[in-house]
Amino acid sequence: MVNWAQMYDCYGDVDRVPALLARAEREDDTGTWDELGYRLILEHDLVFPASFAALPLLVEMASRSPRAQGLAGAIVQRAAGSHGCDDLLAGCAAAIGAFRELLDRYVRSKPDDYLAAFRDLIAAEGHYHWSAVLGDFADDFYQVDCPHCAVEVTIAIGGYGRYSAIRDWNLGDVDRRDLRPASPEELSGVGRWMHETVVRDREMVLADGIAHLFGRAECPRCASVFKIADEYAAAHCPAM
């Protein structure tokens, strides 16, 4: 049983969230869900004890409520933040496991919001960083430092091409070098899992983008070759 007297929300209240959850179970009211979102996630970034206290019920409701699924996913995506609720997060392990299975079934159905659901699934698998940064590869750019000469390299994966370059604010991306996508056999870890999942679901634009993101780039300055995802993750992944 949740001791709601200790589960304050983003506004510091301890009694409002359980009342809103009870109302949301009874009726799919837009105002109720909007207020839950405001109280459980502050400024699209921070979560609080009430966020994790509400998560098991949101997961239970997710199979019949797209709003519950979306809010549960938003909370899980922010689980790596500095929320001071590690004990509450650990207590949500079973709920997150159930949510992961639900999301996996959902993305198999090829929904219109595939990318959003897939990002939630990535977070439910514990890969919070990639959940936050993965785009649709229509117009994606990643900044990395070359591990050999330390120059900042722009990685483009999208409609403008798939290349590494030096970004000049007057000239644009100069000295472009084609990226070297990873083959399915070369992928490992989270890259392999993400690629296999989207291939299974026939999301081939995402599959191609992930193969490039977890592939290799040539530095335009020193011509050394490095793994894009390794360098990006080393610079941007939060310490867990």
Side-chain angles (χ1 to χ4, degrees):
M1 295 293 293
V2 175
N3 183 359
W4 282 106
Q6 299 176 356
M7 302 301 162
Y8 60 90
D9 61 25
C10 298
Y11 293 96
D13 296 332
V14 297
D15 55 354
R16 186 59 178 160
V17 167
L20 289 168
L21 288 171
R23 185 187 304 169
E25 280 193 290
R26 294 193 304 270
E27 54 183 297
D28 187 28
D29 176 67
T30 298
T32 299
W33 284 108
D34 286 347
E35 186 177 350
L36 272 171
Y38 297 146
R39 288 182 174 275
L40 297 180
I41 302 175
L42 179 63
E43 296 181 350
H44 307 288
D45 189 32
L46 299 176
V47 287
F48 289 76
S51 311
F52 295 112
L55 186 59
L57 181 55
L58 291 172
V59 170
E60 182 180 321
M61 297 168 62
S63 62
R64 60 184 186 275
S65 169
R67 297 177 195 263
Q69 179 178 312
L71 186 51
I75 293 169
V76 172
Q77 282 198 38
R78 288 152 183 81
S82 300
H83 44 65
C85 302
D86 290 345
D87 56 335
L88 293 174
L89 175 59
C92 291
I96 293 174
F99 191 47
R100 184 170 57 245
E101 294 178 5
L102 181 150
L103 288 168
D104 189 63
R105 292 193 300 270
Y106 183 70
V107 296
R108 285 174 184 262
S109 72
K110 296 183 67 66
D112 291 339
D113 61 341
Y114 183 94
L115 179 58
F118 181 53
R119 290 175 62 176
D120 289 345
L121 177 59
I122 297 170
E125 288 281 350
H127 304 295
Y128 305 108
H129 168 70
W130 293 116
S131 171
V133 303
L134 189 72
D136 60 4
F137 299 113
D139 186 19
D140 290 8
F141 294 91
Y142 301 85
Q143 304 296 328
V144 300
D145 290 339
C146 172
H148 300 281
C149 72
V151 70
E152 185 177 77
V153 179
T154 294
I155 305 296
I157 309 175
Y160 288 99
R162 291 161 173 77
Y163 59 81
S164 58
I166 302 297
R167 174 153 292 180
D168 184 289
W169 293 109
N170 294 314
L171 301 176
D173 292 342
V174 299
D175 200 1
R176 300 184 181 188
R177 312 289 176 92
D178 289 340
L179 299 182
R180 306 175 187 183
S183 68
E185 295 75 20
E186 292 174 311
L187 291 167
S188 62
V190 60
R192 186 182 187 93
W193 172 79
M194 288 198 298
H195 189 265
E196 288 179 345
T197 301
V198 296
V199 168
R200 178 200 70 187
D201 299 335
R202 299 181 182 178
E203 294 287 338
M204 303 317 295
V205 172
L206 288 179
D208 180 74
I210 291 168
H212 281 83
L213 181 58
F214 284 81
R216 290 174 169 80
E218 180 180 342
C219 173
R221 175 72 57 81
C222 69
S224 62
V225 177
F226 57 88
K227 291 184 177 180
I228 301 165
D230 287 355
E231 298 308 315
Y232 191 81
H236 297 282
C237 274
M240 296 294 292

